[in-house]
Amino acid sequence: MAYDFKVVEKGLYDFWLKNKLFDPISKKASKKNFSIILPPPNVTGHLHLGHAWGGSIQDCIIRYKKLNGYRTLFLPGTDHAGIATQTKFESYLRNNKIDRSKMSDAVFLKGLNKWATDQASVIHEQWAGLGLALSYKYETFTLDKNVSDIVYKEFKLMYDNKLIYRANRLVNWDVKLQTAISNLEVNKKEVKGSMWYFKYYLAGSKTEYLTVATTRPETMFVDTNLVVNPADKRFKKYIGKSFVNPVNGELLPLITDESIEIEFGTGVMKCTPAHSFEDYKIAIENKITKMNSCIELDGKLNEYANTKYMKLSGVDRIEARQQIVATLDKMGLLIKTEKHLHNVGFSERTGEVVEPLFSLQWFVKMEPIVKQLKQLLTKNKPNYFPPRFEKTMQTWLNKTEDWCISRQLLWGHTIPVWYHKKTGKILVSNKAPANPKEYTKDKDVFDTWFSSGLWPLACTKNNAHSDIKDFYPISLLVTGWDIIFFWVARMLFQCSYLDKTISLENILLTGLIRDEHNQKMSKSAGNGVEPNEVIDQYGADALRATLISGSPNGEDLIFRTDKLVHNSNFINKIWNINNLVVKTNDKLSTKLQPLNKHIINELNKTINRYIGFMDKYNLTLAYQEILHFSWETFANEYLEIAKRINDKETNAVINRVYKNILIMLHPFTPFVTEYIYQEKYKNEESIMLEKISKQTSSKTSDFESQLIIEIFSQIKNLRIKNSIKNSKVIELNIVSDKKINQAYVNEVLSLHAIKINKITKVRDTDIKEVITSKNYSIEIVTTITNKLEEIRKNELLLVKLKAELDRSTAILSNQNFIKKASKEKVTAEENKQKEYMKQYEQIKSIIKELKK
């Protein structure tokens, strides 16, 4: 049967599930526990290629560990993804012409929960399509009760320890969603805008002013100061003096701060702490307490925009920008306008310009929590793959700021806080107070990362099923380096704060997926690829192999079709080898024929290198090891020779090697290896229950085996080059100082029409065709004729003869020549024509013979 991935991959996932092969409890497991938590995909739609990449890597490792004797647990789950899911559902409602404003919050949440469940079912199908060995019994959703319980427990503990507080602080604000958002949900884009230069007059002067450039004139209403670098000599005389704000006439003292770039703009910056994180830091360092906001939470200007020069309260801050510029221009305060490229933050979910705004939110004090984490890390820290990311993590821990954990959404874990209506006293509880009418419930929900940060504990120790508690800490996390701060760091400090344990033992970080033009893949860029589309065309095994082997840890993956084709060809090669393998239960003798001993030794060396790479999570090199050994060493070298030997020992060796190739390859391509395994070894339950371990091997290779392989390869190339039939016997001599068993070498090579005449230490100088190697030379005794070259030469000669024949025929057909030329000359031309014809027929015959 020809390889057909659609036939091969059908039904195998159900077979694994039915036989509970993904369950962590295994009677054949002999080593300690090994656990991986699948980074929970958002229930916002289908999995993308990045999910397929990460999932394939994790599944490859979990299957390898199972083959290595571990009790393995691959924990699945999905993330409610607060803001992402709510905005997707609202878009779904709009597309289906359903009026959100007519729905109560309860009805909205019920519909959202149903929609999210539908999305999760699609994700399940995609996990199955990729062959992920997930332990579904323990699947967790981030809004499950066991997760809610641990989220509440963490919040209560932090609150009681005075590490959580509520304050009116600067946050990223989405004016459309009316909620605070995280840095991860802010997309920075380079935008073509304008830089406006305005006059800020020195107080009391009508002629002396400083030029200040800004891209945001709409925030000028609440400027607190002008700021220069203390090293900037141009403005030393003005430090401490005040300047007039052109939009409202208020006085702005000039202060200094080393963060100001002397060469940027005019060197003078306006400070607006209520609308800029950078300005806020300057204000705090300079003990500026006046921080008013002129932009409301809906993005419109407030009463601060009503001045003696303009009335802009209620106008959207973007629309107001040009009105402010026009007014100041009329007042003679606009100096110039320049086109300017600058980075602007946009909400990932709504596309709105994100506003830094003051808002009443819940925050976590990070300094004490990070301090505790650092103390734990001195005793027990995770291993990072690649190791350079440990420094990246340390850098973040040294610069962390207080974390805003509240969001103004409906979808998520609600903040477990109640406010007494009269006294304002705060009650922290996940249950309603005894006298609920006297209290108001906090309407906010937690930032999604607050629950995601507890994922290792929620999935194991706090799982709804209690039989996997001992799989914590998590053995391995595989995720993208781009969320090392947003998620990995939070899992470390949140779990450690609650459990006093480092939650992750090993952290493997991947890069980004890029297209063949090195552009980051995304739906918005139009170069995104759906995993299902690839699977439909090439199969899950080819996709997995391409993703897993595509790049070293921590590096970006360039996704190219030619790599898919290459891996498809390799899988097809493995499939075709199966046709040459005779299933046998014969045990291998301790004394093997040299060629068989050689391939077993090469297999053992490959297994050992493979295990070494897999244990260090270097999957790319492990896969290359299998590919090279299977395709080159086994198939192209050994099997090409051994397939004609056909004795019990050789069949047993081929069987042993092929079975081990399937076992090594299984973590990368589970479907085809399981299918072949079940077809070939019908008495065995599953390839997943096989074992792989280090083998004894010799560092030195058998000389006679290497000689046979080299001679076979050289003669094979010689036949191809000279178009020599495989049945034609090629005779040769071997020149070498080494002792060689000529009978054995001849016995093997004679099966391939190669005959060793003699083995000698002295070169025969009369033999011109010689192939030289390091330890020997091969003298080609048989005369080698390059048929293709001979055919080419004779065909050229035939063309020349035909031209001469045509010329001679034309002369002899010319009556003037016959009449005027002498008889001798005519006879000579007739003889030439006969000779040309004779040669022409001879060459045609030679070409015909060569082409046989």
Side-chain angles (χ1 to χ4, degrees):
M1 179 177 120
Y3 174 63
D4 183 346
F5 66 82
K6 291 183 179 178
V7 174
V8 168
E9 295 176 5
K10 185 179 180 181
L12 280 177
Y13 200 76
D14 291 334
F15 164 80
W16 289 323
L17 290 175
K18 181 182 177 182
N19 288 277
K20 299 182 178 180
L21 292 165
F22 299 161
D23 287 359
I25 310 305
S26 170
K27 56 189 176 184
K28 290 193 176 184
S30 59
K31 294 187 179 181
K32 63 178 182 177
N33 295 342
F34 186 89
S35 55
I36 293 179
I37 47 170
L38 182 78
N42 297 347
V43 284
T44 53
H46 301 179
L47 301 180
H48 53 63
L49 209 55
H51 291 119
W53 184 19
S56 297
I57 289 174
Q58 292 161 79
D59 187 68
C60 180
I61 293 169
I62 211 79
R63 287 176 184 269
Y64 165 72
K65 290 294 183 180
K66 193 175 186 72
L67 292 170
N68 217 226
Y70 284 81
R71 289 177 68 231
T72 56
L73 177 64
F74 191 6
L75 286 156
T78 48
D79 197 326
H80 69 280
I83 189 170
T85 305
Q86 184 167 321
T87 52
K88 280 269 189 176
F89 181 61
E90 287 172 346
S91 176
Y92 165 81
L93 294 177
R94 287 193 298 273
N95 293 338
N96 287 274
K97 296 181 171 53
I98 299 172
D99 191 347
R100 163 70 179 93
S101 63
K102 293 181 180 179
M103 301 169 71
S104 67
D105 289 349
V107 171
F108 177 80
L109 285 173
K110 185 178 179 180
L112 175 48
N113 190 61
K114 169 67 169 60
W115 182 83
T117 302
D118 292 342
Q119 302 309 308
S121 66
V122 175
I123 290 171
H124 275 77
E125 291 174 6
Q126 290 186 282
W127 284 341
L130 287 164
L132 304 191
L134 297 163
S135 300
Y136 288 103
K137 175 183 175 182
Y138 309 100
E139 183 177 359
T140 304
F141 179 47
T142 51
L143 288 183
D144 285 346
K145 184 181 182 303
N146 61 304
V147 184
S148 295
D149 289 345
I150 199 171
V151 166
Y152 164 71
K153 185 179 179 181
E154 174 104 321
F155 182 85
K156 182 74 165 63
L157 180 64
M158 288 182 173
Y159 183 83
D160 290 346
N161 290 334
K162 299 186 179 352
L163 295 177
I164 284 184
Y165 63 94
R166 197 179 189 218
N168 195 41
R169 290 189 58 180
L170 203 61
V171 296
N172 291 313
W173 187 264
D174 186 318
V175 299
K176 187 173 183 179
L177 282 176
Q178 295 281 286
T179 181
I181 60 176
S182 71
N183 289 337
L184 188 63
E185 291 157 331
V186 179
N187 290 333
K188 292 286 187 180
K189 297 180 184 178
E190 198 172 63
V191 174
K192 291 180 180 179
S194 297
M195 178 84 80
W196 291 279
Y197 292 76
F198 298 110
K199 296 175 182 178
Y200 281 66
Y201 277 96
L202 180 66
S205 174
K206 293 184 178 181
T207 57
E208 201 169 358
Y209 62 86
L210 293 180
T211 303
V212 180
T214 182
T215 58
R216 301 203 63 196
E218 66 274 17
T219 65
M220 291 168 64
F221 299 104
V222 287
D223 289 350
T224 61
N225 298 84
L226 295 184
V227 196
V228 297
N229 192 298
D232 196 334
K233 296 178 182 179
R234 294 174 295 175
F235 308 111
K236 276 202 171 184
K237 65 179 181 179
Y238 295 122
I239 294 172
K241 294 184 178 181
S242 294
F243 291 80
V244 179
N245 188 330
V247 296
N248 57 19
E250 292 184 2
L251 297 181
L252 307 175
L254 180 69
I255 61 175
T256 63
D257 193 274
E258 292 181 349
S259 67
I260 305 301
E261 296 180 33
I262 295 174
E263 302 300 326
F264 181 75
T266 65
V268 186
M269 190 187 87
K270 72 186 193 69
C271 183
T272 319
H275 297 298
S276 165
F277 289 103
E278 292 78 12
D279 293 8
Y280 180 77
K281 289 178 185 177
I282 293 173
I284 295 297
E285 288 173 6
N286 285 272
K287 298 179 181 179
I288 297 168
T289 57
K290 181 184 175 184
M291 297 186 193
N292 297 320
S293 176
C294 63
I295 301 174
E296 293 295 298
L297 298 181
D298 60 0
K300 294 177 181 179
L301 298 182
N302 59 23
E303 66 277 4
Y304 283 105
N306 291 335
T307 72
K308 56 185 176 180
Y309 307 120
M310 57 195 86
K311 307 291 182 186
L312 295 174
S313 175
V315 179
D316 183 85
R317 80 275 189 215
I318 305 297
E319 294 175 13
R321 188 175 293 171
Q322 291 299 333
Q323 295 182 46
I324 296 165
V325 172
T327 300
L328 294 181
D329 188 20
K330 287 180 181 178
M331 294 169 63
L333 297 174
L334 175 65
I335 297 171
K336 63 177 178 176
T337 302
E338 288 181 348
K339 295 298 179 184
H340 180 67
L341 277 176
H342 59 127
N343 284 319
V344 177
F346 291 86
S347 170
E348 182 183 41
R349 305 302 169 189
T350 62
E352 282 285 332
V353 173
V354 174
E355 290 294 340
L357 293 179
F358 275 105
S359 176
L360 189 60
Q361 304 286 347
W362 287 96
F363 293 87
V364 175
K365 291 180 182 178
M366 290 302 301
E367 188 176 344
I369 295 173
V370 169
K371 184 179 179 180
Q372 177 185 298
L373 173 61
K374 285 182 175 180
Q375 289 173 346
L376 287 171
L377 289 173
T378 59
K379 301 172 185 175
N380 182 26
K381 62 182 181 180
N383 299 307
Y384 289 83
F385 301 88
R388 69 176 184 271
F389 284 107
E390 182 178 358
K391 186 177 180 181
T392 305
M393 176 66 76
Q394 195 61 45
T395 300
W396 183 84
L397 292 175
N398 291 335
K399 294 183 178 180
T400 188
E401 297 177 351
D402 287 359
W403 172 23
C404 175
I405 59 170
S406 50
R407 298 290 183 267
Q408 291 63 54
L409 302 167
L410 291 174
W411 180 247
H413 296 281
T414 57
I415 303 283
V417 168
W418 304 77
Y419 306 98
H420 195 277
K421 291 179 180 178
K422 290 184 178 179
T423 65
K425 184 180 178 181
I426 290 177
L427 172 68
V428 176
S429 174
N430 59 348
K431 296 178 181 177
N435 45 349
K437 291 183 179 179
E438 296 181 12
Y439 285 84
T440 301
K441 177 75 170 65
D442 193 304
K443 294 182 178 180
D444 290 352
V445 300
F446 282 105
D447 174 16
T448 297
W449 296 108
F450 195 84
S451 54
S452 297
L454 293 163
W455 195 237
L457 279 170
C459 289
T460 52
K461 278 192 169 184
N462 223 61
N463 195 281
H465 300 273
S466 60
D467 58 340
I468 57 169
K469 292 180 185 290
D470 57 346
F471 279 92
Y472 183 87
I474 300 301
S475 307
L476 176 68
L477 171 75
V478 179
T479 190
W481 61 258
D482 55 327
I483 56 172
I484 189 170
F485 306 137
F486 298 102
W487 189 40
V488 181
R490 286 185 168 90
M491 283 190 284
L492 291 177
F493 72 69
Q494 280 186 260
C495 291
S496 67
Y497 186 77
L498 200 60
D499 194 67
K500 305 297 185 288
T501 306
I502 298 300
S503 58
L504 305 168
E505 294 177 343
N506 298 283
I507 301 168
L508 191 160
L509 295 151
T510 64
L512 305 173
I513 291 195
R514 299 183 179 275
D515 64 18
E516 56 189 4
H517 304 296
N518 205 32
Q519 299 300 309
K520 181 182 175 182
M521 277 191 170
S522 67
K523 287 183 180 179
S524 58
N527 62 351
V529 175
E530 288 285 341
N532 286 357
E533 293 176 3
V534 181
I535 291 173
D536 288 344
Q537 189 172 357
Y538 296 95
D541 282 332
L543 174 60
R544 286 172 58 111
T546 301
L547 293 173
I548 298 169
S549 67
S551 73
N553 295 335
E555 302 297 329
D556 292 350
L557 170 69
I558 307 298
F559 189 76
R560 299 203 319 256
T561 304
D562 62 322
K563 291 182 179 180
L564 279 167
V565 172
H566 174 72
N567 286 305
S568 294
N569 291 339
F570 175 52
I571 294 168
N572 195 62
K573 182 77 173 179
I574 296 297
W575 178 270
N576 291 335
I577 292 172
N578 183 41
N579 297 324
L580 300 172
V581 180
V582 178
K583 195 252 179 179
T584 173
N585 294 320
D586 293 336
K587 293 186 178 180
L588 295 186
S589 166
T590 53
K591 281 190 97 177
L592 294 172
Q593 298 170 31
L595 193 63
N596 291 334
K597 182 181 178 182
H598 163 78
I599 195 61
I600 290 295
N601 188 54
E602 290 300 308
L603 169 67
N604 291 343
K605 288 194 289 186
T606 299
I607 290 173
N608 292 342
R609 286 192 293 266
Y610 168 85
I611 289 173
F613 289 135
M614 292 296 286
D615 284 346
K616 293 178 181 178
Y617 307 125
N618 200 330
L619 309 187
T620 302
L621 291 181
Y623 182 75
Q624 291 304 320
E625 195 69 37
I626 309 168
L627 188 145
H628 178 77
F629 173 77
S630 306
W631 207 327
E632 297 300 328
T633 307
F634 181 56
N636 290 354
E637 292 181 0
Y638 170 80
L639 207 53
E640 282 292 303
I641 300 169
K643 66 185 180 183
R644 292 190 182 179
I645 297 176
N646 196 26
D647 58 29
K648 278 190 174 182
E649 179 190 300
T650 303
N651 287 338
V653 167
I654 292 172
N655 185 73
R656 166 77 70 84
V657 175
Y658 187 60
K659 190 174 185 179
N660 275 277
I661 287 172
L662 293 178
I663 293 169
M664 285 190 287
L665 194 55
H666 175 72
F668 296 87
T669 58
F671 291 101
V672 70
T673 49
E674 181 72 85
Y675 187 94
I676 295 173
Y677 184 88
Q678 290 188 27
E679 288 292 309
K680 186 66 68 179
Y681 311 104
K682 297 183 187 296
N683 295 330
E684 302 292 339
E685 185 179 349
S686 169
I687 195 171
M688 289 185 71
L689 299 177
E690 282 288 352
K691 291 288 174 285
I692 190 165
S693 59
K694 288 204 169 184
Q695 306 293 313
T696 302
S697 62
S698 171
K699 291 182 179 179
T700 57
S701 298
D702 177 74
F703 177 69
E704 285 170 347
S705 300
Q706 291 285 7
L707 180 66
I708 291 169
I709 292 168
E710 178 73 14
I711 290 174
F712 176 80
S713 176
Q714 294 287 1
I715 299 306
K716 181 181 177 181
N717 292 335
L718 195 71
R719 290 183 192 277
I720 294 170
K721 180 182 176 182
N722 296 287
S723 302
I724 302 170
K725 291 182 179 180
N726 290 334
S727 58
K728 180 177 174 61
V729 176
I730 304 293
E731 297 183 27
L732 44 91
N733 300 330
I734 298 173
V735 183
S736 177
D737 292 331
K738 290 184 175 288
K739 187 178 179 181
I740 299 170
N741 185 339
Q742 183 175 349
Y744 174 70
V745 174
N746 240 336
E747 179 186 353
V748 175
L749 291 177
S750 64
L751 297 172
H752 299 275
I754 301 171
K755 181 183 177 184
I756 310 297
N757 285 345
K758 64 179 180 179
I759 298 175
T760 178
K761 294 181 180 180
V762 182
R763 271 271 292 117
D764 186 342
T765 55
D766 291 334
I767 298 175
K768 304 302 181 186
E769 190 80 36
V770 180
I771 300 171
T772 304
S773 189
K774 184 179 179 181
N775 296 312
Y776 53 87
S777 297
I778 303 169
E779 297 176 343
I780 311 299
V781 177
T782 304
T783 302
I784 302 300
T785 302
N786 188 324
K787 280 189 176 183
L788 291 176
E789 184 62 26
E790 288 299 313
I791 290 170
R792 190 184 70 81
K793 288 179 181 178
N794 279 286
E795 284 179 339
L796 287 173
L797 182 57
L798 200 68
V799 171
K800 289 180 181 179
L801 286 170
K802 181 69 167 58
E804 288 300 321
L805 262 174
D806 290 343
R807 183 196 61 76
S808 182
T809 302
I811 290 173
L812 292 173
S813 300
N814 188 334
Q815 292 302 315
N816 287 331
F817 171 76
I818 299 297
K819 289 177 182 179
K820 293 180 180 179
S822 65
K823 186 178 180 181
E824 292 79 9
K825 197 167 185 179
V826 172
T827 301
E829 192 61 46
E830 288 173 341
N831 290 337
K832 278 184 186 180
Q833 187 186 44
K834 289 176 183 178
E835 184 59 30
Y836 290 147
M837 182 58 71
K838 180 182 175 183
Q839 290 179 26
Y840 184 80
E841 293 300 327
Q842 286 175 343
I843 297 301
K844 276 179 68 177
S845 179
I846 290 170
I847 292 171
K848 185 179 180 181
E849 193 65 28
L850 285 169
K851 287 184 175 181
K852 282 185 179 179

